[in-house]
């Protein structure tokens, strides 16, 4: 008789209310397409493999094409709503009135074949002013009402931006959880380790997106970085190193992975079932640093993201601009420009490098002695393309946020 190897049991960490969340979450944005639609039958096999092996956190959003409806259909087919937690996101940038809040939420319930959402996020909340705008539309009272009725169990937000703004947002509302981009390359950018620890200090579970930086930490590693990983005695894959670096931190509650094959689901479950916080050795940390050094060998500005140069009197996100500029050369120009657009233009108060008036205040505090004004000019020339300027103008004209 064939012996089937049993996958070890899933690991869990607690949310703010003491509920168990699987440390591996399922990101539903990357379900496989069949033509112009999601391949439901394929996605069903992958989702059910995850559920049957203890994954209980599933993340989607209103604006992920077909994702909510596909996931809702899978839950309906398998009658397993009570086994999992649904996380989805309000497209607040489309909301113009309190009626819109109700409209989008009810549509999401219909798509997902459910009458409640476990974890409801303000999608890509950019700054406190954006949240304040939502409050003027009645969002705070609306959320309170939904929570009291049991239609929303936990309220949170997802975030792309700098550490300072993230920490301000943490104080803007009594959130139940948050979701940030975080990986070993973004340790000191985006919300960063400082933001992660600030959220944990407030008792918030932190959901991690982009743990592999959109595949950058797997498929697009420099050859020398791949050699460093391959030569290590642990024989972890690049993805496993990235996941383990995250799970080594007890402040990390759940890591989202956009799994779209059975093999990927099984591999990630196996890793998540054999890991614990605090197990990294000094040699493990050294390997990560070596890999980072290889990735960053082509960076343009030696900015560490410490943010001692902040705040800028004119609102420039200096570390964010340099991070995006460096990403253009450490990864590719498209990724760097996309990052810059999200973190500077898609917000109520823009933080573009072009707002610099060359006052020089920032340079007085930079421990790396970077010629910030000079480097910002270079970054601006490459990051603020005609497409960027059009997007920035559109945000202002149509009051997207």
């Amino acid at each position: 008789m064939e012996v089937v190897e049993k996958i070890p049991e899933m690991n869990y960490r607690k949310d703010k209310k003491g509920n168990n969340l699987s440390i591996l979450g399922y990101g539903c944005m990357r379900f496989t397409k069949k033509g112009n639609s999601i391949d439901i039958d394929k996605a069903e096999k992958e989702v059910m493999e995850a559920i049957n092996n203890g994954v209980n956190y599933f993340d989607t959003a209103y604006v992920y094409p077909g994702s909510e409806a596909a996931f809702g259909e899978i839950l309906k087919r398998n009658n397993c709503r009570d086994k999992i937690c649904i996380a989805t996101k309000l497209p607040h940038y489309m909301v113009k009135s309190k009626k819109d809040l109700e409209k989008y939420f009810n549509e999401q319930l219909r798509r997902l074949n459910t009458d409640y959402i476990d974890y409801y996020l303000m999608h890509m909340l950019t700054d406190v002013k954006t949240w304040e705008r939502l409050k003027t539309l009645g969002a705070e009272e609306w959320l309170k009402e939904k929570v009291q009725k049991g239609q929303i169990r936990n309220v949170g937000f997802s975030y792309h931006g700098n550490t300072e703004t993230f920490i301000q947002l943490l104080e803007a509302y009594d959130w139940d959880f948050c979701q940030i981009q975080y990986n070993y390359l973004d340790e000191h950018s985006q919300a960063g380790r400082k933001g992660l620890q600030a959220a944990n200090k407030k008792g918030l579970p932190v959901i991690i997106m982009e743990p592999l930086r959109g595949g950058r930490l797997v498929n697009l590693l420099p050859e020398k970085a791949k050699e460093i990983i391959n030569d290590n005695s642990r024989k972890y894959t690049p993805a496993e190193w990235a996941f383990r670096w995250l799970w080594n931190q007890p402040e990390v509650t759940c890591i989202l992975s956009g799994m779209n094959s059975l093999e990927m689901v099984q591999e990630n479950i196996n890793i998540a079932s054999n890991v614990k916080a605090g197990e990294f050795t000094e040699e493990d940390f050294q390997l990560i640093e070596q890999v980072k050094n290889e990735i960053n060998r082509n960076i343009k500005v030696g900015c560490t993201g410490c943010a001692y140069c902040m705040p800028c009197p004119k609102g420039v996100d200096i570390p964010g601009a340099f991070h995006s500029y460096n990403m253009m050369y450490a990864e590719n120009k498209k990724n760097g420009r996309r990052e810059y657009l999200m973190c500077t233009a898609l917000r109520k108060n823009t933080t573009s490098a072009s707002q610099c008036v060359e006052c020089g205040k920032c340079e007085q505090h930079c421990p790396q002695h970077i010629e910030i004004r000079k480097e910002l000019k270079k970054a601006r020339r490459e990051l603020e393309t005609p497409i960027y300027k059009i997007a920035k103008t559109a945000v202002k004209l149509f009051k997207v946020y």
Side-chain angles (χ1 to χ4, degrees):
M1 185 176 68
E2 182 183 0
V3 177
V4 179
E5 184 178 352
K6 186 179 184 300
I7 296 177
E9 291 186 10
M10 175 60 58
N11 280 310
Y12 298 87
R13 294 181 183 176
K14 301 286 186 183
D15 72 2
K16 188 177 181 181
K17 299 172 183 175
N19 300 307
N20 283 327
L21 292 182
S22 55
I23 65 170
L24 175 66
Y26 203 119
C28 299
M29 184 174 71
R30 294 189 173 96
F31 285 147
T32 302
K33 292 288 187 70
K34 191 175 185 179
N36 294 322
S37 307
I38 288 172
D39 187 339
I40 286 260
D41 294 335
K42 180 176 183 292
E44 180 181 16
K45 291 174 185 175
E46 294 155 3
V47 164
M48 293 313 301
E49 178 73 8
I51 292 175
N52 292 335
N53 284 284
V55 175
N56 69 358
Y57 190 93
F58 290 79
D59 173 89
T60 181
Y62 183 87
V63 295
Y64 298 168
S67 175
E68 288 179 327
F71 187 59
E73 176 62 22
I74 292 168
L75 295 181
K76 183 180 178 181
R77 288 183 184 183
N78 294 275
N79 192 29
C80 56
R81 174 67 180 93
D82 60 342
K83 292 183 179 180
I84 59 97
C85 297
I86 296 175
T88 194
K89 308 176 188 79
L90 172 75
H92 65 84
Y93 32 79
M94 297 164 67
V95 171
K96 304 299 180 186
S97 68
K98 191 172 182 178
K99 287 183 179 179
D100 286 341
L101 294 169
E102 195 70 17
K103 179 183 75 172
Y104 291 124
F105 183 71
N106 286 334
E107 185 177 352
Q108 290 178 294
L109 293 181
R110 288 193 297 272
R111 288 176 175 182
L112 289 160
N113 284 311
T114 188
D115 56 4
Y116 68 96
I117 303 297
D118 302 274
Y119 294 87
Y120 200 55
L121 302 98
M122 306 299 102
H123 192 193
M124 205 169 74
L125 198 57
T126 53
D127 50 33
V128 174
K129 287 184 184 287
T130 304
W131 172 241
E132 291 294 332
R133 184 190 79 86
L134 279 171
K135 284 170 65 175
T136 64
L137 298 176
E140 200 164 18
E141 296 81 7
W142 181 81
L143 286 168
K144 183 178 180 181
E145 176 188 323
K146 294 300 177 188
V147 170
Q148 288 174 342
K149 289 181 177 179
Q151 290 182 290
I152 294 175
R153 305 290 171 86
N154 299 275
V155 178
F157 67 99
S158 64
Y159 179 78
H160 289 278
N162 61 38
T163 307
E164 180 186 5
T165 303
F166 175 73
I167 291 173
Q168 291 171 0
L169 274 169
L170 288 178
E171 302 297 331
Y173 180 77
D174 186 19
W175 308 105
D176 296 307
F177 72 112
C178 60
Q179 180 172 312
I180 62 173
Q181 175 174 319
Y182 186 56
N183 51 67
Y184 63 71
L185 269 189
D186 288 317
E187 184 176 6
H188 302 298
S189 60
Q190 294 272 334
R193 184 183 288 270
K194 186 177 177 182
L196 172 74
Q197 292 174 342
N200 178 257
K201 190 174 181 180
K202 289 182 69 67
L204 299 187
V206 182
I207 312 301
I208 304 300
M209 58 182 161
E210 298 292 353
L212 305 179
R213 185 73 91 71
R216 176 70 181 89
L217 304 184
V218 180
N219 303 318
L220 300 176
L221 285 174
E223 289 304 315
K224 181 61 177 175
K226 292 177 183 177
E227 288 176 19
I228 291 168
I229 289 173
N230 290 337
D231 291 344
N232 186 268
S233 60
R234 290 199 184 277
K235 300 305 176 186
Y236 294 157
T237 64
E240 186 166 358
W241 275 111
F243 284 139
R244 285 183 178 273
W245 181 85
L246 287 164
W247 280 321
N248 189 66
Q249 300 165 67
E251 301 92 346
V252 169
T253 307
C254 174
I255 299 174
L256 298 177
S257 177
M259 299 175 279
N260 54 19
S261 74
L262 274 177
E263 293 75 21
M264 192 183 299
V265 172
Q266 291 163 353
E267 179 185 353
N268 289 352
I269 288 170
N270 192 58
I271 299 168
S273 303
N274 288 283
V275 69
K276 61 182 179 181
E279 67 179 359
F280 250 44
T281 66
E282 186 59 39
E283 289 75 19
D284 293 334
F285 284 117
Q286 287 175 4
L287 179 139
I288 293 295
E289 287 304 312
Q290 289 173 337
V291 171
K292 285 168 66 173
N293 288 340
E294 291 303 322
I295 294 171
N296 291 328
R297 193 171 290 280
N298 294 322
I299 65 171
K300 290 291 185 179
V301 184
C303 174
T304 64
C306 70
Y308 289 159
C309 57
M310 299 291 284
C312 166
K314 295 299 179 181
V316 178
D317 180 359
I318 299 169
F322 288 151
H323 174 67
S324 300
Y325 184 36
N326 285 333
M327 188 186 294
M328 289 179 65
Y329 291 89
E331 298 184 20
N332 60 60
K333 292 190 175 182
K334 181 180 177 182
N335 286 356
R337 286 171 177 153
R338 175 179 173 273
E339 177 92 353
Y340 186 68
L341 177 68
M342 287 197 303
C343 295
T344 64
L346 300 185
R347 56 188 64 243
K348 195 172 185 67
N349 288 339
T350 57
T351 58
S352 307
S354 52
Q355 293 165 211
C356 173
V357 295
E358 301 187 51
C359 68
K361 181 182 176 183
C362 51
E363 294 180 9
Q364 300 170 24
H365 304 288
C366 178
Q368 311 302 320
H369 305 293
I370 296 169
E371 294 181 77
I372 295 175
R373 289 171 289 182
K374 177 182 173 183
E375 297 299 336
L376 275 178
K377 282 183 180 178
K378 294 179 182 177
R380 182 189 70 204
R381 282 196 293 269
E382 297 210 45
L383 290 166
E384 298 189 17
T385 63
I387 292 174
Y388 175 87
K389 292 172 183 176
I390 290 169
K392 185 176 176 180
T393 302
V395 171
K396 291 180 179 178
L397 286 177
F398 298 104
K399 299 180 180 178
V400 176
Y401 290 100

